[in-house]
Amino acid sequence: MVRFAVALVALLVGAPGVLASDIDLAQKVDLLIAAYPDTLERREENRLFFRDGGPPILIDDGRTKDHAARLAEGDIEDSLLQLYPSGPCETVPTRNGDPGRIRSEPLLTRLYGGSKAEVAKSLRTVDWFGQSVKVTTRNGVAAALEAVRDDLERQPDLKPYLIPSAGTFNWRKVAGAPNLSVHSFAAAIDLNTNHADYWLWSGGKPGNVPRYKNRFPMEIVESFERHGFIWGGRWYHYDTMHFEYRPELLAIARVAGSDACR
């Protein structure tokens, strides 16, 4: 299945004339399935099927939502709607440009577990520059974080930004929202808060963030993105210390040509 994921991305990237507008929902869902080969099996019409034989879930619930509703109760289609701009360059997000901040909670619970106890069964302790952090082994998250660490160990000048980590596994809801944080699924890490900027700290309100600010070097972002993590610093509602494992969005970005440096 891993070979299939690589081959699918290569095939789509190599297709002539592929633009962001050409990436339809079916292609996005195929890339989603390829990104989680141990858990996801196939799509049939508007349903996503799982390898555990459990009930499929809807890809698109058919509801028209504004940005706030997508954040609060997004489906799979909503979670893949906005293109994530990957690459070693910093971007200044447009209003309500939050690629990856929109999530499907039903999908996340099937990927990682539907309760704190269930998620905890798959935790592994990872050495994060001398600090022990707990992340899930499901879908390769722990291995991906270790790969990021191994990359960044070659640049010791970056260590002050990386530790102490502000947290990984924490079963909780998103601040001020009804849905669960990706930290609940042990598939996210927050870096050193001494260098962090967060839209609420700046006095922002939903849909009205007065200014964007980032103090994290892009070398850190580039390493995380290389190994399947997206960065909260790409969001209009920015959270620059936050990284979460969303390889499907990076695969879609490559196919769509969504490049932060353009």
Side-chain angles (χ1 to χ4, degrees):
M1 289 300 294
V2 174
R3 285 195 298 272
F4 169 73
V6 174
L8 180 59
V9 172
L11 175 64
L12 290 173
V13 170
V18 174
L19 302 173
S21 59
D22 296 325
I23 307 301
D24 62 22
L25 180 58
Q27 288 176 295
K28 290 178 181 179
V29 174
D30 285 343
L31 290 166
L32 170 71
I33 294 167
Y36 301 95
D38 295 335
T39 305
L40 305 183
E41 184 177 52
R42 70 187 190 281
R43 62 174 171 86
E44 287 185 10
E45 297 179 342
N46 192 33
R47 296 182 298 169
L48 180 66
F49 286 80
F50 296 80
R51 292 190 174 278
D52 63 7
I57 61 177
L58 286 179
I59 295 169
D60 183 357
D61 61 17
R63 296 169 53 204
T64 300
K65 306 183 188 84
D66 61 15
H67 189 65
R70 289 191 181 105
L71 289 169
E73 25 184 0
D75 57 20
I76 292 172
E77 184 267 341
D78 294 321
S79 74
L80 305 178
L81 183 63
Q82 296 185 346
L83 288 174
Y84 180 87
S86 62
C89 300
E90 189 170 339
T91 51
V92 178
T94 57
R95 185 175 182 273
N96 286 337
D98 287 328
R101 190 167 175 258
I102 301 169
R103 311 173 184 101
S104 165
E105 190 168 305
L107 175 60
L108 287 171
T109 59
R110 296 292 294 277
L111 289 173
Y112 298 110
S115 68
K116 180 178 180 179
E118 188 178 354
V119 173
K121 292 177 184 177
S122 299
L123 293 180
R124 184 165 91 209
T125 300
V126 169
D127 173 38
W128 183 252
F129 300 93
Q131 180 183 1
S132 294
V133 298
K134 293 185 181 296
V135 291
T136 183
T137 58
R138 291 195 187 188
N139 302 298
V141 175
L145 186 61
E146 288 169 338
V148 174
R149 177 203 62 204
D150 294 346
D151 269 4
L152 295 176
E153 278 182 336
R154 303 185 185 101
Q155 302 182 71
D157 57 311
L158 297 177
K159 189 174 179 179
Y161 296 93
L162 304 171
I163 57 171
S165 164
T168 50
F169 177 49
N170 184 5
W171 186 267
R172 63 172 176 81
K173 293 185 177 181
V174 175
N179 48 314
L180 288 169
S181 163
V182 179
H183 287 284
S184 298
F185 306 102
I189 185 170
D190 288 342
L191 303 185
N192 188 343
T193 57
N194 288 335
H195 304 279
D197 295 281
Y198 181 47
W199 67 280
L200 282 173
W201 297 346
S202 72
K205 300 182 184 302
N208 184 18
V209 179
R211 62 186 177 87
Y212 173 84
K213 186 179 180 183
N214 168 53
R215 290 175 286 159
F216 280 95
M218 292 308 295
E219 292 90 342
I220 293 174
V221 176
E222 185 179 15
S223 178
F224 270 98
E225 290 181 347
R226 185 182 307 121
H227 297 290
F229 292 84
I230 64 166
W231 177 42
R234 302 275 193 209
W235 301 339
Y236 176 72
H237 299 88
Y238 57 89
D239 185 357
T240 64
M241 66 182 167
H242 179 83
F243 294 85
E244 64 185 70
Y245 189 69
R246 300 288 294 283
E248 73 279 15
L249 295 182
L250 292 157
I252 291 168
R254 287 192 292 270
V255 172
S258 181
D259 188 336
C261 296
R262 292 180 184 171

